[in-house]
Amino acid sequence: MIIVLSILLGITILLLASAIIHIRKIQQELIEIDKEQHNQNKDILELMKYRGESSAMLLQHTYVLEYLAEQDAIRNKNKYPIPSIVGEA
């Protein structure tokens, strides 16, 4: 009877030890996944920051082009007079 209990106790200790080792491996994998996710989040933030800066630059460029088109229209308005439909003699 004592031998059977000793064997069962030994098996229980081995199962517990293997479970603890398995849990530690899972913890290490989770730590690695967390590091990877942190790096990906940093990359995403950098990309969003760059995208925001690019959008702002594109908007400024559009404003400059609109301004230049308006100025060009004002400058060229009196340069080339449009002849009237009613004939001038």
Side-chain angles (χ1 to χ4, degrees):
M1 180 78 169
I2 294 178
I3 296 174
V4 174
L5 288 176
S6 297
I7 293 172
L8 287 175
L9 183 62
I11 291 171
T12 306
I13 290 172
L14 285 175
L15 288 174
L16 229 102
S18 68
I20 290 172
I21 291 170
H22 188 67
I23 289 171
R24 291 205 177 158
K25 285 181 183 178
I26 291 173
Q27 283 177 333
Q28 286 299 102
E29 290 175 5
L30 285 174
I31 289 170
E32 292 299 318
I33 290 172
D34 186 49
K35 287 178 184 177
E36 177 78 22
Q37 189 175 16
H38 178 72
N39 289 336
Q40 288 177 352
N41 287 345
K42 279 187 356 186
D43 292 344
I44 290 170
L45 287 174
E46 288 294 321
L47 184 63
M48 294 302 288
K49 181 180 175 185
Y50 175 75
R51 182 176 175 233
E53 290 172 357
S54 297
S55 296
M57 288 174 25
L58 183 62
L59 187 61
Q60 289 175 352
H61 183 71
T62 304
Y63 289 149
V64 168
L65 287 177
E66 287 176 357
Y67 173 77
L68 291 175
E70 290 172 4
Q71 293 302 315
D72 193 41
I74 291 170
R75 284 186 202 152
N76 291 332
K77 182 178 181 182
N78 295 327
K79 235 183 205 179
Y80 306 106
I82 301 172
S84 63
I85 296 176
V86 179
E88 294 179 19

